[in-house]
Amino acid sequence: MWAFGESNGNAASSPVVVLPVPYDLSLSYLPGARNGPEAIIYASAELEPYDFELGLDAQAIGIYTPEPVPWVAGDAAASHSLIENAAGSYLDEGKFVVALGGDHSISLPLVRAHLERGGDFGVLHVDAHDDLYDSWQGSPLSHASVMRRVHELGVPLVQVGQRAVARDSRDYAEKHGIPRFSAREIAKNGLPLDDVLQALPERVYLSFDFDALDPSEMPAVGTPLAGGLSFYQALDLMEAVFREKEVIGADFVEFSPLPGLFYPQMTAAQLVYRAIGLKAASAGW
């Protein structure tokens, strides 16, 4: 039985679904993201249910964790269809879906599932990389191409935390006016929260790659890069966005647990649980 937190919520009445999506077939460096959802969920049982900073117990509101979404070996498109259908079934029930990856390519079917249910929104992409390659290692459905595919759906994109950008990706972002707030800029001047909020539309989907965090705080990722966000910078960013915008869904991806090192999965679980608490607070659950 999978359960985010101390126990699994009721499937019918819980407003939040934590959806495990262990698909990681497009990873291009260190392996292991398929083990990320299980590790984060395992660690979540050790979290204090009451969030004293928010003044609420998101566990008591109701968090349902279903079985992981399966994938089709060697077939990214078929695997993405399974992810899109799984997320869509919960969206049709009015659930707030928080997906746990898996590699970052899962964001594409998750965004499509939200698009199919109507309403305009933008994507806040928090990541060490901009993921705007047209294709990577021969695949247009790679984790390194996911935000290119998302943007081609007509979804506005705002990027935060980048510190690895290819020339072609830079040109694409500049051509299409994609706002980017780099990690170096943040290190020099602090989080430009007002500018990020101004760049975002009123409705937002959050896509958070754990490699956005500095490896000193989050070493358990597939493509670690020095100079990332701190834990509290990530919290401040999420808190501002959930407070000022309507966050319609989220994914947290690319967590690859390291043998014998437990604190990274606790850090990951804390971020996910805080996102759920922020949604509960903003929605008035």
Side-chain angles (χ1 to χ4, degrees):
M1 172 73 73
W2 293 64
F4 188 90
E6 293 182 338
S7 61
N8 207 7
N10 182 275
S13 61
S14 295
V16 178
V17 171
V18 171
L19 183 65
V21 187
Y23 174 86
D24 71 349
L25 301 185
S26 82
L27 289 178
S28 54
Y29 189 41
L30 300 177
R34 68 183 59 186
N35 301 316
E38 184 176 15
I40 295 170
I41 288 169
Y42 178 79
S44 72
E46 301 303 318
L47 296 176
E48 195 67 46
Y50 178 74
D51 187 326
F52 80 95
E53 293 182 354
L54 294 180
L56 58 80
D57 181 348
Q59 188 77 51
I61 293 164
I63 303 171
Y64 174 64
T65 309
E67 291 296 307
V69 180
W71 71 80
V72 180
D75 194 331
S79 299
H80 283 193
S81 292
L82 291 172
I83 297 166
E84 183 176 344
N85 291 338
S89 67
Y90 295 111
L91 293 175
D92 288 340
E93 296 174 4
K95 308 295 189 185
F96 180 73
V97 176
V98 179
L100 304 181
D103 73 49
H104 212 151
S105 73
I106 71 168
S107 298
L108 177 60
L110 293 166
V111 168
R112 282 202 307 248
H114 285 81
L115 274 178
E116 289 171 2
R117 274 117 193 118
D120 295 331
F121 63 90
V123 170
L124 174 59
H125 173 219
V126 187
D127 197 324
H129 311 82
D130 67 359
D131 293 349
L132 288 173
Y133 279 100
D134 187 38
S135 179
W136 181 250
Q137 296 181 340
S139 174
L141 296 179
S142 166
H143 70 150
S145 304
V146 60
M147 291 302 152
R148 181 82 160 250
R149 302 288 88 80
V150 166
H151 188 257
E152 289 171 348
L153 295 174
V155 178
L157 184 63
V158 176
Q159 300 190 304
V160 175
Q162 283 69 39
R163 46 204 190 273
V165 177
R167 185 188 301 271
D168 290 347
S169 299
R170 180 206 62 188
D171 293 344
Y172 180 87
E174 290 179 353
K175 176 181 178 181
H176 294 280
I178 297 172
R180 176 184 294 127
F181 303 91
S182 71
R184 184 63 180 271
E185 175 187 351
I186 293 168
K188 286 182 175 181
N189 304 315
L191 270 174
L193 292 176
D194 290 342
D195 293 338
V196 172
L197 292 171
Q198 186 174 0
L200 288 167
E202 287 306 306
R203 301 175 76 239
V204 175
Y205 179 93
L206 171 64
S207 184
F208 193 103
D209 189 320
F210 285 110
D211 70 17
L213 298 172
D214 192 79
S216 64
E217 299 191 49
M218 177 51 70
V221 293
T223 46
L225 285 173
L229 304 180
S230 72
F231 176 79
Y232 281 113
Q233 285 176 323
L235 284 189
D236 288 345
L237 176 62
M238 290 200 309
E239 288 169 0
V241 173
F242 275 90
R243 182 179 64 247
E244 301 296 334
K245 305 292 182 178
E246 180 190 358
V247 180
I248 63 168
D251 62 62
F252 291 82
V253 298
E254 304 262 353
F255 180 79
S256 298
L258 297 173
L261 199 60
F262 186 65
Y263 82 84
Q265 56 217 59
M266 286 295 294
T267 302
Q270 282 179 272
L271 284 171
V272 175
Y273 194 61
R274 176 57 61 90
I276 294 170
L278 289 167
K279 179 61 180 181
S282 65
W285 293 334

